[in-house]
Amino acid sequence: MDVTQHQPGRRRHVFYGFWGSSTLFLALGLSTVLIIGLLVQLLNQDLISTTDMMHSTLSSVASLTAILLARLGLSHASNAPESLESEDFEIDLSWYPPKPSSITNLTTVFNSTGVWGFIFNTSHTPDSQYGTYNWCNMPHVRAKEYPRPPSEYELLYVEVIHRHHLRTPYSSNSFPVEPHPWNCNNIAIYSYSSPLTPGSPPSIPGYHSPFTSPFNPFPPSPLGFQGTCNFPQITTQGLSDSYQHGLDLLSVYSPLISPTSAEFRITNNPITSQVAGALVSALLPPKTTTTTPLLIQNKEIDSLEPKYPCPLSHHLFSQIQSTPQWKSHLQLSKEILTQLDIISGVPPSDTSFHISFDHYFDNLSSKQCHSRPLPCSVHSPHNNKCIPQHLADTVYRLGQWEYHHTYRSSKQSLQASVASYGVWIAELLSHISSVTKEETKVRYRHNIAHDGSISRLLGVLQVDDMHWPGMGSEIVFEVYKQQPKHFVRVLYGGQVLKSSSPMLKGNPKGMIPLQQIMGYLGGLIGLREKDGKMMHDIKEMCNTPITYNK
């Protein structure tokens, strides 16, 4: 496959304005004086050889000149215009491996017990344990644990992206027979249209009310999950978690959030709309607004989910899941899958349940998060044989390994994620740019997405410690101003994100210079300005010709 033109590496990008001629002359003068002085001193003392002396002297001059220029307000860092034009600035776009962990070690994954202290059976995490990985309700920004920056940093803008909250499983993850129905009679799913034109006849909100007709002899096919819920849909616990998530964000970012300064975006999957209803009601209480627009893109090209066509990314992810490591973990899992198949009734020929642990993971974790029992067999001769907790824990550990391998530990994961999530990244950078240029009144944006969205973004950010993003997993981009410079801070799980890439390592408070993070993310997607418009290379990248080795 020939994709060298789009492979990440070290590139040079334009960031700073050229220094004025007076600055250059001053720098040359200072350098000349320092060189002469240091040479005379070193020769008189006869401390080093001529070659070593020259190398040492020039290095000293460079350092001293940089210090003097900085003190005079003439260095790159002190007076550089924050644009994507001008002097070269080297940006490292390389893939860096994450730190080793128990999740990355297959031997540990297979031979461990439990799930490394992770929570899989409740949305509630005690305050004393907040920050612990909780699949049912991941940690997020809230006032009690929020890492407050120094007062000299002024918060200008916040963009949040998070996975939806607790839901029923997808129907595709159902076992052939699910003996326990899943009812949602205490939730109303609304579906109606209302005109926005003043004076038009109003519409009455109407919600779905599922029922079973005694005159309809046809059972659902496949039989699978039964009851009045949709599969999937956000449950009452998920709505409660969504509302609390909104309150927690409001406790930190309330000065930026109002009906005129906030925007909300969803995907075409109805569960993100359901989460928005609860979350927005916490962020924008009903007394301030009666309706709120939810931004949404065409379902075939949505960049948030993402859904736009990208053959290159699809090919790279397929390659990642065809590696010797992937094949090895499936080979080692044969006995585990056999045990699961016997109890669940899933036929061994069902490839969707056997190319990864995604289906079993969703089925079991959804039940446990809602305090439902682990499933038992309804098939003779295995009646009442149930999936034990240790087997479910093994599924959870293997699922964690799979997501780590797919989105982070494989060298191809960075390029695969850049290609499939690059459009959303371009949108994010345009939002940040508009804020720093004072071209927008929007101060808060909120995106409600999916685990695939968060996983790709974590891959692009090269998070040091990758996990399968659980329900409510959250990444926050904060834009600050410390006169006259701008910084971006990235939070994951409510704390400063730790990245393996040197480009995303900020100061002790997590502040990354605007040019640095814009250069990294912009460099990955080929962001540039042309004819006064911002352009990127994602479409060309996605359609890179793919050649297959024979």
Side-chain angles (χ1 to χ4, degrees):
M1 182 181 74
D2 182 15
V3 295
T4 54
Q5 61 178 315
H6 294 303
Q7 290 297 321
R10 299 186 70 88
R11 301 181 186 173
R12 299 185 70 81
H13 289 273
V14 185
F15 281 89
Y16 300 123
F18 287 111
W19 294 347
S21 58
S22 60
T23 303
L24 292 175
F25 281 125
L26 178 58
L28 287 172
L30 287 169
S31 299
T32 301
V33 172
L34 288 167
I35 288 173
I36 294 172
L38 287 168
L39 283 174
V40 170
Q41 183 181 6
L42 291 170
L43 284 171
N44 286 339
Q45 296 184 11
D46 194 25
L47 294 175
I48 49 178
S49 68
T50 303
T51 303
D52 290 341
M53 177 188 65
M54 291 298 295
H55 178 78
S56 177
T57 302
L58 292 172
S59 297
S60 299
V61 168
S63 300
L64 288 171
T65 302
I67 293 171
L68 287 172
L69 288 172
R71 290 182 177 178
L72 291 170
L74 299 173
S75 67
H76 289 267
S78 63
N79 75 336
E82 293 170 347
S83 66
L84 294 179
E85 299 182 358
S86 64
E87 186 180 338
D88 284 348
F89 183 80
E90 190 169 53
I91 298 294
D92 187 355
L93 305 181
S94 304
W95 171 85
Y96 285 87
K99 71 176 184 181
S101 68
S102 299
I103 293 176
T104 64
N105 188 319
L106 266 180
T107 301
T108 303
V109 169
F110 278 104
N111 296 329
S112 296
T113 58
V115 197
W116 307 299
F118 297 173
I119 299 171
F120 279 88
N121 58 4
T122 177
S123 280
H124 177 67
T125 304
D127 283 350
S128 61
Q129 300 177 37
Y130 200 79
T132 300
Y133 179 101
N134 184 337
W135 169 262
C136 309
N137 190 15
M138 295 289 281
H140 52 253
V141 165
R142 66 179 197 176
K144 188 172 183 179
E145 295 82 14
Y146 180 64
R148 298 194 177 278
S151 58
E152 62 265 26
Y153 289 93
E154 178 189 0
L155 182 60
L156 301 180
Y157 175 74
V158 168
E159 181 140 358
V160 178
I161 177 172
H162 82 87
R163 187 188 182 188
H164 58 77
H165 282 278
L166 267 182
R167 55 163 173 73
T168 59
Y170 277 80
S171 59
S172 58
N173 299 334
S174 171
F175 297 160
V177 177
E178 292 280 355
H180 303 293
W182 205 314
N183 294 311
C184 297
N185 297 326
N186 54 352
I187 295 179
I189 299 179
Y190 287 84
S191 180
Y192 71 102
S193 297
S194 180
L196 294 175
T197 306
S200 298
S203 296
I204 294 178
Y207 63 89
H208 297 175
S209 181
F211 77 103
T212 300
S213 169
F215 299 99
N216 191 335
F218 300 99
S221 180
L223 194 57
F225 289 118
Q226 302 297 304
T228 58
C229 293
N230 287 330
F231 300 97
Q233 82 169 67
I234 303 300
T235 60
T236 52
Q237 185 59 60
L239 292 175
S240 177
D241 293 342
S242 300
Y243 184 78
Q244 185 61 50
H245 196 158
L247 291 179
D248 290 340
L249 288 166
L250 190 66
S251 70
V252 175
Y253 300 127
S254 58
L256 301 180
I257 303 174
S258 73
T260 57
S261 65
E263 287 186 354
F264 302 91
R265 182 176 171 187
I266 57 173
T267 72
N268 286 271
N269 190 319
I271 60 179
T272 60
S273 299
Q274 294 162 19
V275 166
L279 181 132
V280 174
S281 70
L283 290 172
L284 300 176
K287 64 180 180 181
T288 64
T289 181
T290 56
T291 60
T292 301
L294 302 176
L295 299 176
I296 187 170
Q297 289 186 0
N298 181 286
K299 64 181 179 180
E300 296 179 357
I301 58 171
D302 184 12
S303 61
L304 179 59
E305 193 164 351
K307 282 291 187 178
Y308 60 84
C310 191
L312 173 65
S313 178
H314 178 76
H315 176 74
L316 291 174
F317 279 128
S318 295
Q319 282 193 331
I320 290 171
Q321 296 187 353
S322 301
T323 59
Q325 298 98 314
W326 191 272
K327 293 177 180 178
S328 175
H329 103 280
L330 289 180
Q331 181 66 31
L332 294 170
S333 300
K334 281 189 173 181
E335 182 179 344
I336 296 168
L337 288 168
T338 297
Q339 295 178 55
L340 292 167
D341 291 347
I342 289 174
I343 299 173
S344 67
V346 172
S349 59
D350 187 337
T351 56
S352 63
F353 271 83
H354 299 89
I355 58 173
S356 76
F357 280 88
D358 184 275
H359 285 34
Y360 274 119
F361 193 112
D362 184 43
N363 188 296
L364 301 181
S365 64
S366 296
K367 290 171 179 172
Q368 292 211 276
C369 282
H370 289 95
S371 301
R372 299 169 71 90
L374 287 169
C376 302
S377 175
V378 296
H379 306 278
S380 180
H382 305 287
N383 285 349
N384 297 321
K385 184 175 183 179
C386 304
I387 293 178
Q389 186 63 55
H390 72 82
L391 187 57
D393 290 343
T394 302
V395 171
Y396 302 151
R397 293 196 304 272
L398 284 163
Q400 295 291 342
W401 181 90
E402 289 181 347
Y403 260 66
H404 199 292
H405 178 78
T406 301
Y407 294 102
R408 191 64 188 89
S409 57
S410 170
K411 289 184 178 181
Q412 293 176 304
S413 62
L414 175 59
Q415 186 60 22
S417 293
V418 167
S420 57
Y421 222 63
V423 174
W424 188 86
I425 291 170
E427 294 164 348
L428 169 71
L429 296 184
S430 72
H431 298 160
I432 294 174
S433 178
S434 295
V435 169
T436 58
K437 294 178 182 178
E438 299 182 354
E439 296 174 343
T440 178
K441 294 183 179 180
V442 178
R443 289 292 176 263
Y444 180 89
R445 281 188 175 89
H446 198 116
N447 306 268
I448 304 171
H450 306 274
D451 53 353
S453 317
I454 303 300
S455 295
R456 286 169 169 81
L457 187 53
L458 289 174
V460 174
L461 296 172
Q462 301 202 56
V463 65
D464 207 25
D465 194 10
M466 177 77 188
H467 303 93
W468 188 338
M471 304 298 168
S473 290
E474 171 197 86
I475 301 173
V476 179
F477 296 86
E478 300 176 330
V479 179
Y480 289 89
K481 186 173 185 179
Q482 185 194 38
Q483 191 70 29
K485 297 174 287 185
H486 290 93
F487 296 85
V488 176
R489 188 170 70 160
V490 185
L491 305 180
Y492 175 49
Q495 299 300 309
V496 175
L497 178 137
K498 296 179 180 179
S499 173
S500 302
S501 171
M503 300 309 304
L504 297 178
K505 296 185 186 299
N507 63 24
K509 295 297 183 180
M511 299 296 176
I512 306 169
L514 176 68
Q515 296 92 341
Q516 188 171 310
I517 191 169
M518 292 283 282
Y520 173 73
L521 294 176
L524 288 173
I525 65 174
L527 189 68
R528 62 200 182 280
E529 186 172 325
K530 182 178 181 181
D531 299 329
K533 296 182 179 180
M534 299 307 298
M535 312 285 290
H536 59 76
D537 293 335
I538 296 302
K539 185 175 182 180
E540 294 78 7
M541 189 185 301
C542 283
N543 293 319
T544 299
I546 299 170
T547 57
Y548 296 87
N549 297 325
K550 295 183 180 180

